[in-house]
Amino acid sequence: MIYKFRVILDTEDDIFRDIAIDEEDTLEDFHNTIVNAFGFDGTEMASFYTCDDAWNQEDEIPLFDTGDTPGEMRTMADYRLTDLLDTDSTKIIYVYDFLNMWTFLTELAAIEEPETGEQYPAVLFAHGEMPAQAPDKNFEADENEFDFADDDYDEDDLDMLDEGGNFEDYGFEENWN
């Protein structure tokens, strides 16, 4: 089957690409298709993030294994599209270039039979011009996210200085290499 996605740049302007790709292709194949569809050079790090229906970010799926032990982390190459996306789970977030944070909201719009003679993956439709710079992100916490109840927070818990203004002994010297 062929998955048809709408990949939308997270900005106020309407900038998106419609992409058709085989359901058996990997997330890495999808990453490469998105990079080409939006005109990136493909030299930057990228990740997909699973998300809920409200686009709340969940688990990261990176392009490369960034774990402490090689092979401990699954990467884009380890997931087929059908492993994560279907008619019940249609959304995934894609982030390219972690310095600039190009963020794309990617939604599975249709699952169809392949068309005879068509090559996949394919960009079916392109709308909007890519800006020269990534859109600014407004990273804000919910209004009460960092409010602590008085009984949950004790000023002394964070105080590393003793009464004389010196650092308390936390065994630093004995553990120093």
Side-chain angles (χ1 to χ4, degrees):
M1 299 301 287
I2 298 300
Y3 279 10
K4 291 186 175 179
F5 289 95
R6 175 151 289 173
V7 182
I8 304 167
L9 178 62
D10 188 15
T11 183
E12 290 183 25
D13 297 330
D14 289 336
I15 301 169
F16 64 88
R17 306 293 183 260
D18 291 344
I19 294 173
I21 187 168
D22 191 288
E23 69 179 351
E24 296 299 317
D25 282 344
T26 66
L27 283 178
E28 185 174 7
D29 297 325
F30 192 33
H31 150 79
N32 291 327
T33 304
I34 294 171
V35 163
N36 290 327
F38 284 93
F40 294 119
D41 61 12
T43 60
E44 300 296 334
M45 287 292 299
S47 287
F48 282 99
Y49 295 88
T50 58
C51 62
D52 61 18
D53 286 338
W55 297 104
N56 293 310
Q57 183 176 310
E58 295 171 345
D59 299 323
E60 179 182 15
I61 304 168
L63 180 58
F64 301 110
D65 183 349
T66 56
D68 293 334
T69 305
E72 78 176 335
M73 179 178 273
R74 292 182 70 189
T75 65
M76 291 181 197
D78 297 321
Y79 290 93
R80 296 174 306 144
L81 291 172
T82 141
D83 294 338
L84 297 171
L85 300 160
D86 55 34
T87 54
D88 295 325
S89 179
T90 62
K91 297 179 179 180
I92 194 164
I93 299 169
Y94 174 72
V95 177
Y96 178 80
D97 184 356
F98 293 119
L99 293 178
N100 293 303
M101 297 297 290
W102 292 94
T103 303
F104 298 87
L105 308 176
T106 304
E107 187 163 15
L108 178 61
I111 301 173
E112 299 177 354
E113 292 289 332
E115 293 183 27
T116 305
E118 287 295 318
Q119 294 284 326
Y120 299 102
V123 177
L124 303 175
F125 184 74
H127 178 79
E129 295 290 323
M130 286 293 290
Q133 296 181 19
D136 289 332
K137 293 285 174 227
N138 188 11
F139 296 104
E140 291 183 359
D142 292 336
E143 185 176 321
N144 297 320
E145 188 166 339
F146 295 106
D147 288 345
F148 299 102
D150 289 337
D151 58 339
D152 290 342
Y153 178 73
D154 184 359
E155 190 75 32
D156 293 332
D157 288 343
L158 301 176
D159 191 8
M160 293 177 29
L161 301 176
D162 62 18
E163 291 179 17
N166 300 312
F167 282 103
E168 292 181 14
D169 182 20
Y170 289 107
F172 179 77
E173 292 298 325
E174 65 192 47
N175 294 318
W176 181 252
N177 292 331

